[in-house]
Amino acid sequence: MLNRKFTIFIAFLSLSVAGSFIKIPATVGSVAFDSMPALAAGALMSPLAGMAVGCIGHLMSAGLSGFPLGPLHLLIAVQMGLLSFCFGILYRRNFKMAAILVFIVGNGIAAPLCFWPVLGKAAVLAFIPGLVVAAVLNGVAAHLLIPRLRPVFDRSNVRINNENKS
């Protein structure tokens, strides 16, 4: 059973890395579809799995674009992990729209505001529009994908929420 969960986790992580190649035009080159699989993993597997996929996925996306913000990407990876964790908790408690809104506001507005003292007002304000668009696209894509993935797992022998096959 542990191998199956690990395999599914690696599949979501692989999708996150693949999504990092689909860049969203923004002022920073690391904005991509890397968080959509993290949101799906948080909702379908567990919030902790979503957090891990969010952290690692962002680091992969940032690495593919050359770490444009340098070591700040470590803090951004932690932010992505926490946002994916919160999305997973809210989505699993059936607060789906709240989960998407928290992710959009957190990723698009709150997360860049943390860098105001380091990067300055102009840089942070330049990041926000692209991040909001990316958060909306990732959140909506996850919201559309999750209900379609759930029946696939329900019909298979793979159980991702500690459910027993009856």
Side-chain angles (χ1 to χ4, degrees):
M1 187 59 161
L2 184 62
N3 287 339
R4 290 180 183 169
K5 287 182 181 180
F6 185 69
T7 302
I8 295 168
F9 173 78
I10 293 299
F12 279 119
L13 188 57
S14 299
L15 287 172
S16 182
V17 172
S20 68
F21 284 101
I22 305 170
K23 300 294 186 192
I24 297 168
T27 53
V28 179
S30 63
V31 179
F33 275 101
D34 60 332
S35 57
M36 186 267 301
L39 301 177
L44 292 170
M45 289 184 72
S46 74
L48 287 175
M51 182 166 74
V53 172
C55 285
I56 298 168
H58 174 75
L59 290 174
M60 296 302 293
S61 179
L64 288 170
S65 61
F67 289 104
L69 296 176
L72 292 178
H73 281 289
L74 292 173
L75 182 57
I76 296 169
V78 171
Q79 290 174 336
M80 290 303 302
L82 291 173
L83 287 167
S84 299
F85 183 82
C86 291
F87 180 91
I89 287 176
L90 290 170
Y91 199 93
R92 291 165 68 98
R93 292 186 179 166
N94 213 19
F95 297 116
K96 296 173 182 168
M97 284 298 126
I100 294 171
L101 288 175
V102 166
F103 178 74
I104 291 170
V105 171
N107 189 32
I109 298 169
L113 288 178
C114 295
F115 298 106
W116 192 297
V118 178
L119 299 174
K121 175 183 173 182
V124 170
L125 292 177
F127 293 159
I128 288 177
L131 289 173
V132 168
V133 169
V136 168
L137 291 174
N138 278 291
V140 169
H143 182 66
L144 294 173
L145 178 73
I146 293 166
R148 284 153 184 81
L149 281 179
R150 189 170 298 280
V152 173
F153 287 108
D154 289 343
R155 286 190 306 263
S156 72
N157 287 330
V158 178
R159 293 290 171 243
I160 52 179
N161 289 329
N162 297 324
E163 300 168 358
N164 294 325
K165 182 87 172 171
S166 47

